[in-house]
Amino acid sequence: MEKNLGKVVGVNGNLLTVEFSQPVVQNEVAYALVGDTRLKSEVIRIRGNRAEAQVFEDTRDLQVGGEVEFTGELLSVELGPGLLTQVYDGLQNPLPELAEQCGFFLKRGTYLRALDGEKQWEYTPVAKAGDVLRAGDTIGTVPEGLFTHRIMVPFSVRGKVTVEEPIAAGSYGIDTVVAKLKDEQGKVREVTMTQRWPVKMPIKAYAERLKTEEPLVTKVRIMDTFFPVARGGTYCIPGPFGAGKTVLQQITSRHADVDIVIVAACGERAGEVVETLREFPELTDPRTGKSLMERTLIICNTSSMPVAAREASVYTAVTIAEYYRQMGLNVMLLADSTSRWAQALRELSGRLEEIPGEEAFPAYLESVIAAFYERGGVVKLNDGGTGSVTIGGTVSPAGGNFEEPVTQSTLKVVGAFEGLSRARSDARRYPSIDPLESWSKYPSVVEADDLAAGQQILRRGNEVGQMMKVVGEEGTSIEDFIVYLKSEYLDAVYLQQDAYHEVDGATSAERQRYVFERIVRILKTKMTTKDKAEARKFFQTLTQVTKDWNRVTDGSDEFKKLEKQIEQMLAEVTVHE
Amino acid sequence: MNKVYHRIEKIAGSVITIRASGVKNGELAEVTSRHGVSLANVIRLEDDMVSLQVFTGTRGIGTDSKVRFLGRPMQTAFSDALMGRIFNGIGDPRDKGPAFQDNMIEIGGPSVNPAKRIIPRNMVRTGIPMIDVFNTLVESQKLPIFSVAGEPYNNVLARIALQAEVDVIILGGMGLKYDDYLFFRDTLEENGALSRSVMFVHTAADPTVECLMVPDVSLAVAEQFALQDKRVLVLLTDMTNFADAMKEIAITMEQIPSNRGYPGDLYSQLASRYEKAVDFEGSGSITILAVTTMPGDDVTHPVPDNTGYITEGQFYLRNGRIEPFGSLSRLKQQVNGKTRDDHRQIMNTMIQLYANYKETLEKQSMGFRMSDWDGKLLRYGERFEKELMALAVNIPLEEALDLCWSILNDCFEPAETGIPTKLIDQFWPKKKADAPRAESARSGDGEGDETKEEEKIEEKVADSKKEKAP
C-alpha cells in the first residue's frame, strides 16, 4: 500500500497543522519527519483538508512544507508476556533500553519495541484444534514471573473462531505463531503471543461486570477502616502539594493486597519514579517472598517529558491493567497525578483555540475523566473466573482548593474520596487524610457499629475543639473536654501512622479489627479525672503507650504486655456505675 | 543560503511576524533595525507566516527592518573559562571579559531518562538548623524559597551558596534589582567563591525575552559541568519574574490564558526547567535552589502553586525566618535516617510541639486563662524561635540536635513529648541538674516556677499509679 503522506503547514508549540490529500482517521498516529528523525503524533482534529496533530516530542526544527506520514493505526500498545517489571514511557518505550541506546538523555524520535522479541517463553497450549473460542479466551499459557500469563484470542476478534494448527508445548519467542483462528466467514488469521490494542478503547472481552463489594486492604489504617477502597473500585486522593499524595501512593503500591500494581507517573517528578524504580527490586513482597518489582509495572511520563505523551500514559497504563485483568488477576492502577493529564488537555485545548470552560479547562474534561475511571471494575470472564482493575488517582488541585474542575469532575465518578488536608500535614499528622471531609461508599474492614462510634467521637471532638477556640478551656465542661481528648487520642494512635516504621507502617486487616475494637472500647468508656490537667496527662501517657503498642509485632510478648498496660491504665479512670 | 527578509508584517509586544519560507521552529534569527541588532527566535509557524520573539524587545524596529535566519537554534558557549565570569541572559558578557564563540551547546535540551537517575543520597549541610534538622537539603534536589518581596531571600540564597560544599555555583538572576546583582557579585567575591561561580544576570531594566533565556542558559551550562563529574548548585532568583515574562509573551501571542493570565502550559514550562536537577549515575549532579516571590503572600497564586507541585518541597521565608509550617524537603527521608538515630523523631516532635505552641498563642491572644500545659508550651515556643529559627543561628546538625534535646528537657517531661520510650532512654539528657540554671537564666517569672512545682507533684502521683498498676 502506498504511504499516505501529508505536508506541514503550521507549527504552534506541540500542535502541528498538516495538509493531506488522502483520507485520514481521527486519532490515528502520524509521524512528522525532521531529517532522519520521525516524530510520533496523534491526529486530534480534522477540518477540511487540514488535520491537527499533537506531537509527542519537542517540535524544534520542524518546518512548513515538511513531510508527515499517516499510519492509519490508532495509538496502541503491544500486549504480551514480558510487560511486568518493565519501565515504560507514556508511549510504551522501554526506558532502560532507551538509556542503553541513548545515554543519560532521552532522544526524541527514538522508539523501541515494548517487548523483547528474542526472549524464549515456555509455552503450554490450552486450546485444541477445532475448539471454538471467543475474544479473550485462552489459547495457551506461559509462565511470567509469579503469574501464568494467558495468551488469548485477540480482543479485536468478533464472534466465534475455530482454532487451527495449535503449536505443541515448547520454548518460543513472542512472535511465534501459536495458532490460526478461522472466523465464521472462513477467514483465517494467525495469532502470536502478542497483540496490539488501541489505548483509548476499553477491553470488553468479558462476560459481565460485577458489583464491587470486597474490601481491598491497603494496610493504611485510616483508609481501610474509615475510608476503605474496594477491589475493582475507584478512589481519588486530592491534596495540596506537600500533603503526602505521592507517599500515600507509594505505600499503597507496596502493601495493597492485589496481584499486580501498575504505577502511572503522569507529569510528576522524576525523582519519585526513581525511588520506586530503584527500591522495588530490593524490597520483598511479604505475600510472595519475591521482589516487589515482579508484580510491578511502571509507566512514567514525568513532568519534563513531552506533554502530549502524558495523556497517552494514563491510557497506556489502564490498557495494560485491563489486559492482566483478562487473565483473572487483580490489578491496581495508581495514577499520579490526574491533574497533570487534565492540564495537558487544557494546554492542547488552548492551542486548538477551543472555547474554554471553567479555569480554561476544556468542556469535555468531565466526560474524559469519567470514561477513564469507568475502566476500573470487577468483571466475570468468559471462563467464569473474575478479574479486577482498581484505579486510584491523585489530584493536584490548584491552590489546594477542592472546588476546582478536576477535583469536582473526579469526585462525581469515584467510589472513595481520600481528601488530604494542609492543616493536618502542617501538624505532621500523616497520612493527612481529612477524617471529617473524606468519604467512601465501600465497606470497611471493621464492624460498622465500631466505625460509627469512632466517627462520632471524631465529629464531636472537632466540635468541642472549635468551641474551645471561642470559649477557651475554662469555658468547656470536663465531659466535653474528655470527648475532645478522646478524639485527639483516636487521631494520634489510629489515624496517624508512621509510614517509615517497619511495623507501624503496615497494619494488616486482622490487626486493624483487633486494635480498633479495643480503641473503641476505650472511647466508649466513661471516665473521670480530678481536673482537666489530669485528664490531659492521662491521655498523653495513654497515647504514648498505645503508640508503642503500634510499633511492636502482633502477638509478641511485648504486644501483650503493652495491651495489658493500656487496660490497667484505663481501669484507673473508669467510672463504674 | 541565509535569505534576508525586509518586510515585517506585524509588531506586537516583543513579537514580530514576517512572511518567510523554509524556516524551522525554534530557529534563531538576527533582526537589524536602525537602533541596533538583536537576536530573535521562531515561536510559531502558520503557513508562510513566521512569528519570532525579539530578545531585546521590539522598540525601534521598523516594518522595513532586516531579518536574517541563522539556521540554528539558540545556543550558548561552554568551557571552564566561564568560571568567575558574569553574562547577561543570552550569554553575552556583562563584565569586561571577552565573549566566547567556541564549543556552542544547545539550550533547553531533552530531559534526562528517568531510568538513568539515581536516588539522591548526600545531604547538603547548610549550618541553618531549620534546614539541616527539619528540612534537610539533599544533593540533586530542586527547592524553591517562597517569600514575599522584602524578605532577605537573596541573603539566604547567598549564604547557602557559600556554605554548601559544591564545585560550581551558577547564579541565574531574573529581573534582579541592580543592587541585588551587585550584592551577589560582591558577596561571592568577598568570600572567594566567585572563581567557582558563573553568573547569568538579567536585571529588571533589561528586555523581557532575555529573562526567559536565563534558566535555560544557566541549566544548560550546569548540565555540562555536571557531566564533567562536578557537583553544581544552581541558584535561580526570581522565578516569578520568569513566569511573568512568559505570561507577557503568551498574551502577546493571543494565547488563551488559563489562570490569572498565565498560559496553560505554565506547569510544563516550569517543570522542564526544575527537572534539570539530577544526580547522574556515575557522574556529577545539579541541585537547584530557586526564589519564588509570592505576590501578596498568596501561596495559591499560580506561580508558587505550580512550583510547589514540581519541586521537591519548599522553604517558606517569613519575617526573616524559615517557617517550620509548610516548609518541606521531600528528600529529607533519603538522608536523615543516616545522620543520627534521633534525627527523625526530634524533627517530628519539635514541630508537633511548636504547632501546639501556636495554638496556645492563639488562645492567649484571645485572653483565655493559660493552663500549666500552655505555660510549658509558651516557654518552649519562645526558645524554639530564638535558638533554632533565627536566621543568625549557624551550627552544625549534631549540635542542633543536642540543642533540641536540651530545650525539650528544660520544658517538658519525657511522656509529654510523645517520643518513643526507646529513644527517650537513649537521648533524653540524664542530668536534671542543668535545668534550674537554664530556667533561672530564661525568665525567672514566678508563674513558670509554680508550674514546675505542680508538675513535679503530678509526676509523683503518676509514678505511684504506675507502681500500683502491674
Side-chain angles (χ1 to χ4, degrees), chain B residues 146-153 292-298 317-319:
Chain B
F146 288 169
S147 80
V148 287
E151 290 287 343
Y153 46 82
T292 299
T293 49
M294 301 183 288
D297 201 10
D298 176 13
L317 191 64
R318 196 164 288 148
N319 303 325

Side-chain angles (χ1 to χ4, degrees), chain B residues 6 18 34 63-64 91 102 158 197 215 259 284 291 319 384 395 451:
Chain B
H6 283 281
I18 61 167
R34 261 170 295 170
T63 48
D64 58 346
D102 304 336
S197 308
N259 205 345
V291 168
N319 303 325
F384 186 88
I395 48 176
T451 359

Side-chain angles (χ1 to χ4, degrees), chain A residues 117-176:
Chain A
E118 306 290 310
K119 192 171 171 186
Q120 299 292 304
W121 298 86
E122 283 304 317
Y123 179 77
T124 315
V126 172
K128 293 179 290 294
D131 282 1
V132 177
L133 304 179
R134 280 166 299 172
D137 288 351
T138 312
I139 302 174
T141 62
V142 296
E144 182 186 12
L146 305 161
F147 309 99
T148 304
H149 189 117
R150 295 184 193 168
I151 308 299
M152 293 171 277
V153 174
F155 307 131
S156 55
V157 163
R158 285 189 195 162
K160 294 194 167 102
V161 288
T162 315
V163 179
E164 288 180 350
E165 302 170 41
I167 55 166
S171 206
Y172 305 103
I174 50 170
D175 294 325
T176 315

Side-chain angles (χ1 to χ4, degrees), chain A residues 387-401:
Chain A
S388 70
V389 173
T390 309
I391 301 179
T394 63
V395 183
S396 321
N401 174 10

